[in-house]
Amino acid sequence: VSIQPIEIVNKFIKELHLKMDSNMYVLIDEKLELISSMDINSTPVSLIYDTNRILTKRINGFVKIETLL
């Protein structure tokens, strides 16, 4: 989850050579709707879901890419 403009997020994705596929999503929350509803106090936030779409882990703040892979 990010509040950054899409251009900045896309640059980040390219710099890390991330492959955006059906297992990875980035949400741009410019209106702070998800941030408000999930009590997110800072961004970025990584929300990890299992194959049943159940939230299994929430990482507040920056995280090393190795942690996510």
Side-chain angles (χ1 to χ4, degrees), residues 1-5 27-37 40 43:
V1 177
S2 178
I3 60 171
Q4 296 294 325
L27 173 73
I28 308 299
D29 191 11
E30 293 175 339
K31 296 181 181 178
L32 307 178
E33 293 169 351
L34 180 68
I35 288 174
S36 295
S37 68
I40 296 173
T43 61

Side-chain angles (χ1 to χ4, degrees), residues 7-67:
E7 297 82 15
I8 292 174
V9 173
N10 283 336
K11 181 180 177 194
F12 173 78
I13 290 167
K14 286 180 183 178
E15 286 176 357
L16 293 180
H17 305 288
L18 297 176
K19 182 181 177 188
M20 300 301 293
D21 59 20
S22 62
N23 292 322
M24 183 175 195
Y25 300 94
V26 175
L27 173 73
I28 308 299
D29 191 11
E30 293 175 339
K31 296 181 181 178
L32 307 178
E33 293 169 351
L34 180 68
I35 288 174
S36 295
S37 68
M38 293 194 68
D39 193 31
I40 296 173
N41 299 317
S42 64
T43 61
V45 173
S46 299
L47 304 170
I48 312 299
Y49 289 83
D50 66 14
T51 55
N52 296 314
R53 297 182 178 179
I54 296 181
L55 181 63
T56 59
K57 189 169 188 176
R58 174 179 164 160
I59 304 169
N60 295 320
F62 292 94
V63 63
K64 292 183 180 182
I65 191 63
E66 295 82 10
T67 302

